[in-house]
Amino acid sequence: MTATSTLPEPRDPQDIRRARDKRRVGLALLALFVLAGAFGLYGTRTGEASAASGGYVVTVTYPKVSRPGHAVRYEVRVKRAGGFDGPIHMRFSSAYFDLFDENSFGPDPESSTATGGYDLYEFSPPPGDEFIVSSDTRVEPARQRGEKGEVSVLDESGTPIVTVRYRTRIFP
């Protein structure tokens, strides 16, 4: 009878070192991934974009980076020295708002309509030099990529006076 060994065949020391180094690199990458999550690099980040023209300053606070299902902040501030002498006409890109499940949009516009790729709103002028539009919303749970957004203040004929452009990126 011959004895059969169950020991593995001897391995080359260089193969053993290479396998150990691959495990170390894998563990280091996993540790970096976990640390990035611990410091909030995968969560929602808010951005701000603004533009000024024709006596108006428009500032948009928007989700710069987010994930599906996360609550996000969206706010548009319109400032005009001396206040507003009539209704405020605004235009929002429709495709951008398809990113969100809106819970509320305020203040309520006096009138609204949609044309092409835009939603058009007319708001009553507020007292003072600043008008704020905000939305309580969250990213649509099924969204896997972002969208470009645009907000304009329009004159009475519908021509943009000032436009702010921004982009939201969605990560899974």
Side-chain angles (χ1 to χ4, degrees), residues 1-126:
M1 217 186 241
T2 55
T4 305
S5 175
T6 58
L7 294 174
E9 290 291 323
R11 292 177 58 195
D12 181 28
Q14 197 170 21
D15 287 342
I16 294 171
R17 276 191 296 277
R18 192 175 309 121
R20 181 190 62 218
D21 291 344
K22 286 181 182 179
R23 283 190 303 275
R24 286 180 178 167
V25 167
L27 285 172
L29 290 174
L30 180 61
L32 287 174
F33 181 76
V34 170
L35 282 173
F39 284 103
L41 294 179
Y42 303 125
T44 297
R45 285 195 302 267
T46 302
E48 194 170 272
S50 61
S53 180
Y56 292 91
V57 177
V58 179
T59 304
V60 181
T61 303
Y62 65 98
K64 191 171 187 175
V65 176
S66 192
R67 298 179 64 198
H70 281 208
V72 294
R73 181 174 175 215
Y74 184 83
E75 180 181 271
V76 179
R77 290 179 176 269
V78 180
K79 292 183 183 179
R80 183 168 188 240
F84 302 91
D85 47 352
I88 302 165
H89 301 275
M90 296 182 73
R91 180 177 80 177
F92 295 83
S93 54
S94 301
Y96 183 75
F97 282 99
D98 290 343
L99 281 174
F100 307 114
D101 282 336
E102 293 175 45
N103 294 326
S104 69
F105 186 83
D108 291 328
E110 295 297 316
S111 69
S112 64
T113 188
T115 94
Y118 297 102
D119 295 332
L120 305 171
Y121 297 100
E122 180 182 303
F123 297 97
S124 296

